[in-house]
Amino acid sequence: MADSTRAGRARYRVLRALLPGRRSAAALAVAIAAATALPLAAPQFTRRFVDDAAAGAGTGRLTLIALGYLAVAVAGQAARTLTAWLAGRLAWDGTDRLRERLAEHALGLDMAFHGRHTPGEMIERVDGDVVAVTEFAVAFLLDVVAGVLLLAGVLVIVFTVDPRLGGALTAYCALAGYGMARAQRLAVPSAARARRESATLFGGLEERLTAVEDIRANGAGEHSVRRFHQSAAALHRAEFRSDRVGSSLLAGTGVAFAAGTAIALGLAAWGRMSGIVTVGTAVLLFQYTLMVRAPFERLIDQLRRYQTALAGISRIGALLAEPRTLPAPADPRPLPATGPLGLRLDGVGFAYDRDAREGEKVLSDVTLCLAPGERLGLVGRTGSGKTTLARLVLRLYDPVEGVVRVGGLDLREADPASIRRRMCVVTQDVQLFAASVRDNLTLFRPSADDDRLREVLAGVGLGDWLAALPRGLDTVLGGAVPADAPATGVPADAPAGVSAGEAQLLALARAFLADPGLVVLDEPSSRLDPATERRIERSVERLLTGRTAVLIAHRLSSLSRVDKIAVVGDGRILEYGRREDLAADPDSRFARMLRLAGAAR
Ligand SMILES: Nc1ncnc2c1ncn2[C@@H]1O[C@H](COP(=O)(O)OP(=O)(O)OP(=O)(O)O)[C@@H](O)[C@H]1O
């Protein structure tokens, strides 16, 4: 499909998500029509008032005309308020719909996509772009549609009063519009520069706040603050320049419209003196000339925002059009519902970049087999491909060649929900949320049985920890804190800190709750205190019992609990076999590793 067609379709999908229902759209159209027509009617009352007063009409009649004017003015203001309210409500509905669709779509995209895009970028897309687009949509309805209608209405009315005056006003509007559009373009570079400086400042701020611990620990606080000052100063200068250009343009526009008003006054006086129009009509023409200024200014302002909104629509459309690289199976089959799951990899090859050439693969020709309940230990240097192998087992990626089978099923044909239900991963980098202990354990699943949660926590040795928490399972967890941090004097609703060891045990508790048939466990490589380490080891042993397991081992001692060992190097399986066989073979790499470890001790 041609890129332009795809982009057009994506834009159409975004705009369709923003479209309101028929009834809301009809209500808004009526409100916009009223908000335009009523102000257009007001000068007719002024004309009648002036002409009747000049003709010596009585106070009663003049009062009636004045009241009519007042009623039209009040109704016009009410229609404008209603329009703004309706447009605002529709914008919120549209924003929510679009944001929900985008968030759902983005969360459904696979790891390959999320590896290429930072969280900050995703937030900007799902929030920043959507808000920019919907704000523009509201402004478009209020300023562009209503402005164009008002302008057209004024020109039509003045034409009907006198075609010559109508022609003059049209020519003036065309000239003023062209001049303002040109002037706006002058403002674009300085405004764009201010936006760039703003992005640099906030991007840097986000990065430094994320890395605050490393910055402090390495004594880089002063440099970071200096860089922050530099960015803030650059933003200040850019904003100042942009404001100066903006104010000059505003002043220029003011002069142009003042000249227009003077011309209109002159034309009205000329019309009156030539006897073409009455005094009332001269006042009416003057009022209509004044009315064109506001819609003009708003139209020009929207022209500038249109570019930003268009870019936002294209980016949102591109995200919505992003395909999943893990295709859903046509006929999904569930993994066996109970018991440990067998695992088999046949000639598996993988590259993160699917266009990579033969030599650039991260994994090549990997063949492994685990019977249900067997445990495999993966060892190898850093960057050798152990984590990648584990990701393929969990179907976070699909292999580019070969097959991964779990429970006898090619993972590409297995029901994705049953994969997430029956398989589970415990990583060393435990993610805890600023949420209650309960939500951290169940990952926000509402159907949690508190007794089961307590039992599981006690099982991993966190029973006393839970009992000491001020609000038990409802205690909100904060960020990780050092294990030796004092826990006294903490208010009852303050977020509880979690040490690295406790976080590991919480992750193991999550795995126990899921009760999987296959566990992938990335052993913590950081050193914990011996007591915590023993608690973790005991829990790991319990977790692995009766389950198939792939263990990424960072310590040789951990391998004593596995049945088979695979030594990974440069994306290949360098050695694979039963642990006792490899240990008994003096020429094996594993035996060499054991000897080296023994010598080191
Ligand atoms: N998301 C990714 N995108 C692109 N390349 C990646 C990605 N993750 C890992 N790699 C690359 O794949 C190779 C294997 O990495 P992998 O993380 O699987 O190794 P590892 O054996 O688990 O290392 P470690 O023991 O340090 O965790 C490395 O060259 C790494 O740079």
Side-chain angles (χ1 to χ4, degrees), residues 115 352 362 380-389 391 397 522 554:
Y352 283 100
V362 176
R381 291 186 179 196
T382 178
S384 55
K386 304 181 294 293
T387 308
T388 307
L389 196 57
R391 287 174 180 157
Y397 296 87
D522 195 354
H554 297 285

Side-chain angles (χ1 to χ4, degrees), residues 498-533:
V498 176
S499 72
E502 286 159 355
Q504 277 295 328
L505 290 166
L506 279 168
L508 288 169
R510 269 182 197 161
F512 274 110
L513 276 174
D515 192 18
L518 191 155
V519 183
V520 173
L521 200 139
D522 195 354
E523 185 185 56
S525 53
S526 53
R527 285 258 144 226
L528 299 165
D529 66 276
T532 310
E533 213 156 275

